Amino acid sequence: MTPAMDRRGFLRLASAVGLTAAVAACGGPATTSGAAPAATTTEIDYSGVKPAAQITWWSSNPGSSQAVSQQIVDAFHAAQPDIKVTLVTAGKDYEEIAQKFQTAQTGGTLPDLIVLSDVWWFRYYMLGSIVPLDSLIRTVGIETPDYRDQLLADYQYAGGQWAIPWARSTPLFYYNKAHWAAAGLPDRTPTTWTEFAEWAPRLQASGTGVQHAFQLPALAGYAGWTFQNNLWGWGGGWSKDWDVTSDSAESVAAMQFLQDSVYKNGWAGVSSKDSSNDLSAGAVSATVASTGNLVGILKAATFDVGAGPLPGGPVVTSPVCPTGGAGLGIPKDIPKENQLAAATFLKFLTSPENTVAFADATGYLPVRKSADISGLVTKTPQSKVAIDQLEVTRVQDRARVFFPGGDQEMAKTCANILTQQADPQAELTALKKTLTGIYDQDVKPNL
C-alpha cells in the first residue's frame, strides 16, 4: 500500500456536520439541511430482544447474483425457520438503491438489510441512517477477525463497524486465449501497458476478425475507477493526498497513451455499454473489467478466457490496482427486533461457506479468510488471480473517493479525450480546475 492517507484517515479529519453538505453534491441521497445527526457508536443493548419473524433485504443483485442470493436465503430458512427473509431487487445499481433508501427515510418503508457501495456508505453514516454494527456483531457472534482485513476496514469509522463486506472486487485484465494463440503471444496477461502496445498490432493482424485488440471499459461507470491503474502506472494520478494532479505531465502522458491507442494506433475501442460483453462476443481480444464480471464472461464466451492482474506502466509496476464493490448495512430507524434478525441473517449470508458460494456464482472475492477456496479455484482458476491481486491493491485517489461529484467529472473528461479526441492536456487542466473548486468549496472547509 502507498503511505497516502486512506479513507479512514480522511474521515477522522473531517467535520461531521460540515461534510454533510459536501457529500450532498454527489449524485444519490441528499445530506443537506434537515439531516439527522451522525450516528454514534454508543453501545446498543439487545438483551431480551427477540429477532423479528420477517425482514427484507434490498439488493441490486451485483454481478447477476439474484439467483445465488435467493439460494442462500432459502438455505437460511431451512437452518432458521423462525426468520423469513424477503430478497427485494431495489434497483439496477447502487445509485438506484441509494435513491430509494433516501426516499424511504422520509416516510417510506425501510429495508432491514441494505447493500452499501464502498463510496456511498459514509453519507448514510452522516445522515444517521445506519446503525453501528458492533453491538449486533457481539450479540449474534459475527467473527470479524476472520474477514479480510483490507475489506472490513473500508467500513470502519469513529471506532465503529458500519457495514460488513460482501460483493467485493478488483478490476482484472481479461483476454481471448484463442486470439492470443493466433497472434503467437504467450498465454499470460501483459506485464506492462507498454508490452501490450507491442502485442496489440499482432492481435490486430492475426486474422481473427476482431474490431479491436482491446476495448476500453464504458466510461460512465469505469473511467474514474479503472483508469487509476493507467495513471498510477505512468507515475501520475487523479490526486496525491489533497493535491489534484490530473494535469501533471505523468497523468497527461497516461491519458495520451490511451487516446493514441484509440485514434493514432487504432488498436483500442471504447465500449458504449459493457466491455465484458464485447469480449464475450468475440468482438475484441481483451478488456479490463470487474472481478464481478468473471462468471458472466465465462458463461457467455465460447472460447477459453484468460484473466490476469492489471498491467503496470513504464514508471510504476506495482501496486497499480484499486478495489471496489459493496458491503451490507442495517438501517437505524427500524425496530431492534428487525435489526437483530437482519444481523442474524447477515452472519449466515457472509459465512465462509456462503462467501465461497457467492464467489463461485459471480466472480466476486471470498471475503472470509477461513473460506475454503480450493474447489472454487479448481473449478474457476481465474478466480485465484483476483484473490492474489487483493494483496497488492492500492488506496484509491482522494479526488475520486472523497471529492463530491469527482468521479462524474473524471468520466466526462475521459469521454472528451477518448470519444471526441479532445486535447488531453487541456482537458486534464480543466478537470484540475473543476476538482480543485470542489475541494476548496466542499472539502477543505471541513478538514
Side-chain angles (χ1 to χ4, degrees):
M1 290 290 187
T2 62
M5 183 186 298
D6 63 8
R7 181 179 307 173
R8 276 74 62 197
F10 163 71
L11 298 178
R12 283 192 293 271
L13 288 174
S15 161
V17 175
L19 190 60
T20 299
V23 296
C26 295
T31 52
T32 51
S33 59
T40 66
T41 55
T42 302
E43 182 72 22
I44 302 173
D45 184 9
Y46 290 94
S47 61
V49 176
K50 181 181 179 180
Q54 296 188 25
I55 59 172
T56 58
W57 169 26
W58 281 10
S59 178
S60 59
N61 305 312
S64 301
S65 58
Q66 183 174 359
V68 66
S69 294
Q70 187 61 54
Q71 289 171 11
I72 295 174
V73 168
D74 293 341
F76 177 74
H77 291 160
Q80 284 190 246
D82 292 340
I83 302 174
K84 179 183 178 181
V85 178
T86 300
L87 173 61
V88 176
T89 301
K92 71 177 186 294
D93 52 34
Y94 300 138
E95 286 70 26
E96 286 194 358
I97 284 188
Q99 292 288 355
K100 186 172 181 178
F101 188 46
Q102 178 63 24
T103 300
Q105 304 294 320
T106 60
T109 301
L110 289 167
D112 301 297
L113 186 69
I114 185 170
V115 170
L116 299 176
S117 166
D118 294 341
V119 295
W120 288 79
W121 75 266
F122 186 64
R123 67 191 62 199
Y124 299 133
Y125 163 84
M126 293 298 308
L127 283 166
S129 300
I130 54 177
V131 68
L133 298 180
D134 305 82
S135 297
L136 287 165
I137 286 170
R138 288 188 289 273
T139 300
V140 304
I142 295 176
E143 299 175 355
T144 52
D146 189 46
Y147 290 78
R148 295 182 182 274
D149 298 335
Q150 59 271 64
L151 303 182
L152 191 71
D154 280 334
Y155 310 105
Q156 294 171 352
Y157 175 66
Q161 187 75 44
W162 300 91
I164 295 294
W166 175 57
R168 297 303 307 273
S169 62
T170 67
L172 292 179
F173 188 102
Y174 295 96
Y175 65 100
N176 185 319
K177 289 195 172 191
H179 292 181
W180 250 236
L185 298 176
D187 185 13
R188 62 172 176 84
T189 55
T191 303
T192 65
W193 285 106
T194 302
E195 182 176 47
F196 185 69
E198 297 170 353
W199 290 1
R202 294 168 62 179
L203 286 164
Q204 294 281 88
S206 62
T208 60
V210 296
Q211 297 174 1
H212 301 103
F214 185 81
Q215 191 80 320
L216 296 168
L219 303 179
Y222 278 88
W225 186 44
T226 61
F227 289 169
Q228 288 174 115
N229 160 249
N230 302 91
L231 296 174
W232 293 341
W234 264 257
W238 298 121
S239 62
K240 182 178 181 180
D241 297 331
W242 296 116
D243 296 327
V244 178
T245 58
S246 61
D247 69 333
S248 69
E250 295 82 4
S251 299
V252 171
M255 292 305 300
Q256 184 67 64
F257 172 84
L258 292 176
Q259 186 186 70
D260 287 347
S261 72
V262 175
Y263 292 100
K264 181 180 178 181
N265 301 316
W267 50 260
V270 180
S271 179
S272 60
K273 188 175 181 180
D274 189 338
S275 65
S276 64
N277 289 341
D278 301 333
L279 175 70
S280 298
V284 299
S285 296
T287 193
V288 167
S290 170
T291 309
N293 293 104
L294 175 58
V295 171
I297 291 174
L298 294 177
K299 287 181 178 179
T302 57
F303 51 86
D304 287 338
V305 177
L310 297 190
V315 178
V316 179
T317 57
S318 182
V320 290
C321 180
T323 60
L328 295 161
I330 296 174
K332 179 183 177 183
D333 294 328
I334 60 174
K336 284 186 178 180
E337 292 81 0
N338 293 62
Q339 293 174 355
L340 188 57
T344 301
F345 173 63
L346 176 54
K347 176 184 178 181
F348 184 88
L349 176 62
T350 58
S351 70
E353 297 77 16
N354 284 329
T355 193
V356 170
F358 187 77
D360 181 45
T362 63
Y364 282 103
L365 294 162
V367 300
R368 298 289 292 269
K369 297 175 184 176
S370 65
D372 182 0
I373 63 172
S374 57
L376 173 66
V377 172
T378 298
K379 177 182 176 182
T380 311
Q382 298 92 335
S383 64
K384 191 173 186 299
V385 176
I387 297 170
D388 291 343
Q389 188 174 231
L390 185 60
E391 299 304 319
V392 290
T393 54
R394 180 172 171 176
V395 176
Q396 292 197 54
D397 291 340
R398 294 182 190 174
R400 177 176 187 265
V401 180
F402 302 138
F403 288 22
D407 192 40
Q408 294 93 326
E409 295 299 333
M410 293 167 189
K412 293 175 187 176
T413 296
C414 291
N416 290 340
I417 294 172
L418 299 173
T419 66
Q420 302 299 320
Q421 206 172 357
D423 177 61
Q425 180 70 71
E427 289 295 319
L428 292 169
T429 299
L431 176 63
K432 178 177 181 177
K433 182 178 180 180
T434 299
L435 294 176
T436 301
I438 293 173
Y439 172 76
D440 289 339
Q441 179 177 339
D442 297 329
V443 179
K444 186 177 180 179
N446 302 295
L447 297 179

